[in-house]
Amino acid sequence: MSDFHFYILILIGFTTLLTIGISLRRYVHLTPMSGMIISMYLGMNVGLTAGVTFGAIYQGNLFLSTMLGIGFGILAGFLCGICFGFLASIEGLMSGLMGGMMGAMLGEMISLEQAHTFIKIFSLLMISTVFLLLILSTSSTATIKKKGWILKPVMTAGIIGSILVVGTSLNVEKADSKSPSPHHQHDSADEPKVSTRIVIESSGFVYSPNELMAKKNVPITLAFINSDDIEHDIEMKEVPFTLLNKPTHQHGANENVLHVHANPHTTSEVTFLINEIGTYEFYCTIPGHKEAGMVGKLNIH
């Protein structure tokens, strides 16, 4: 989990607690319909924000990201709604469930860079719940009596802007993601390079073969043949690799994430070398394909 993802989860918790605290103090100034709107708005946006965040963190595990997104969404929506009554709590719970489910699916289907953009958008909508609550709980007979009224919208813009600036400045890569060290680069330059060609075919939601062997710091050309009528891909995360050429079809490459995509009845190739000995799992990131058995291992010795 990166600093950015951790910050977003803290922001979700803080926004939820702040909204609940204000709701408990000002619920008498809100109509039942306003209370339901606040609960639904918070539950939906917390669910979307958490769902996309966990979808980005656990890409390839749609079940886990969906359950976590739903959990955050229904908890926020229900706790906020219970401040206004039973119906509001049910509306908040169901909105959180829908938001978490949709957010997790979105985070699973798009690239990490695109996911981070959606996380920022949904976070902004989530934060605005606090200001929506303050607006709805303000008496309609309230008038501007002081010249300092302009400070309120200015402060609001400043608070939201500060939150977004801090989040944008944080590292969006995983904390333990590191580029290959100079030592590894030196080793790869000194050792003789005898290219290894690996062919993997996907057919009927199965990789063939699904367990492979290769040597450290030796160029590997991976040819991915998709023999099915639907798209597939191969992805390995947390891999200390050096990319020697770009894949024929690639969706959202990221540091320490090796990804190659193939449309139906096509072949994609990528050439790379891995800098550390170990066993690295690869799988298909298309929703449901990993669970159907599209998993394999690459052993580097």
Side-chain angles (χ1 to χ4, degrees):
M1 183 185 300
S2 69
D3 294 339
F4 173 74
H5 297 142
F6 187 66
Y7 174 78
I8 292 299
L9 295 181
I10 292 177
L11 187 60
I12 290 173
F14 176 78
T15 303
T16 301
L17 292 176
L18 183 60
T19 303
I20 292 172
I22 297 175
S23 299
L24 289 172
R25 294 192 60 180
R26 308 189 67 164
Y27 73 94
V28 294
H29 302 293
L30 289 163
T31 63
M33 180 60 67
S34 296
M36 292 175 64
I37 291 173
I38 293 296
S39 305
M40 292 173 62
Y41 193 83
L42 179 67
M44 176 63 72
N45 286 306
V46 166
L48 286 169
T49 305
V52 177
T53 300
F54 286 117
I57 295 173
Y58 300 112
Q59 279 196 344
N61 193 339
L62 181 59
F63 176 79
L64 178 59
S65 58
T66 300
M67 293 303 295
L68 290 172
I70 288 175
F72 274 66
I74 64 175
L75 185 63
F78 177 79
L79 292 179
C80 178
I82 208 168
C83 300
F84 306 106
F86 177 74
L87 289 179
S89 66
I90 296 300
E91 291 287 350
L93 185 149
M94 294 305 298
S95 296
L97 186 149
M98 290 296 296
M101 198 161 46
M102 291 187 294
M105 291 179 63
L106 179 62
E108 179 73 24
M109 294 169 61
I110 60 180
S111 69
L112 293 178
E113 183 179 353
Q114 293 168 335
H116 293 148
T117 300
F118 276 104
I119 290 171
K120 293 171 186 176
I121 294 172
F122 293 141
S123 296
L124 177 60
L125 293 174
M126 179 185 66
I127 296 166
S128 66
T129 307
V130 176
F131 303 102
L132 178 63
L133 174 58
L134 293 174
I135 292 170
L136 291 177
S137 62
T138 300
S139 173
S140 59
T141 59
T143 57
I144 300 172
K145 298 181 179 180
K146 297 181 181 180
K147 294 181 179 179
W149 68 271
I150 190 63
L151 293 177
K152 291 183 179 180
V154 171
M155 290 176 62
T156 299
I159 292 171
I160 294 178
S162 299
I163 291 172
L164 294 178
V165 167
V166 171
T168 302
S169 65
L170 292 174
N171 177 25
V172 297
E173 303 295 339
K174 290 190 176 182
D176 57 351
S177 294
K178 298 179 181 178
S179 299
S181 67
H183 175 70
H184 289 143
Q185 293 175 354
H186 176 74
D187 287 346
S188 65
D190 292 342
E191 292 182 8
K193 303 276 194 318
V194 179
S195 180
T196 300
R197 183 174 177 85
I198 293 174
V199 178
I200 300 178
E201 182 179 5
S202 64
S203 178
F205 293 97
V206 174
Y207 290 128
S208 180
N210 61 5
E211 189 160 355
L212 306 160
M213 298 285 292
K215 291 184 178 181
K216 167 187 170 184
N217 289 330
V218 172
I220 300 169
T221 297
L222 172 61
F224 179 39
I225 303 172
N226 183 2
S227 300
D228 284 329
D229 294 327
I230 56 176
E231 62 178 335
H232 291 302
D233 60 29
I234 292 176
E235 182 167 290
M236 287 186 284
K237 290 187 175 181
E238 300 304 317
V239 184
F241 72 96
T242 300
L243 192 64
L244 302 181
N245 80 323
K246 293 184 178 180
T248 310
H249 301 285
Q250 184 163 2
H251 291 173
N254 197 25
E255 184 182 358
N256 281 21
V257 177
L258 184 65
H259 185 103
V260 58
H261 175 271
N263 288 319
H265 303 291
T266 62
T267 300
S268 294
E269 290 191 3
V270 59
T271 302
F272 59 96
L273 57 84
I274 295 182
N275 311 113
E276 293 184 7
I277 294 172
T279 299
Y280 303 96
E281 181 186 64
F282 59 88
Y283 53 86
C284 183
T285 65
I286 307 300
H289 291 197
K290 179 181 179 181
E291 291 76 8
M294 296 197 71
V295 181
K297 292 181 180 180
L298 175 59
N299 300 299
I300 301 298
H301 58 88

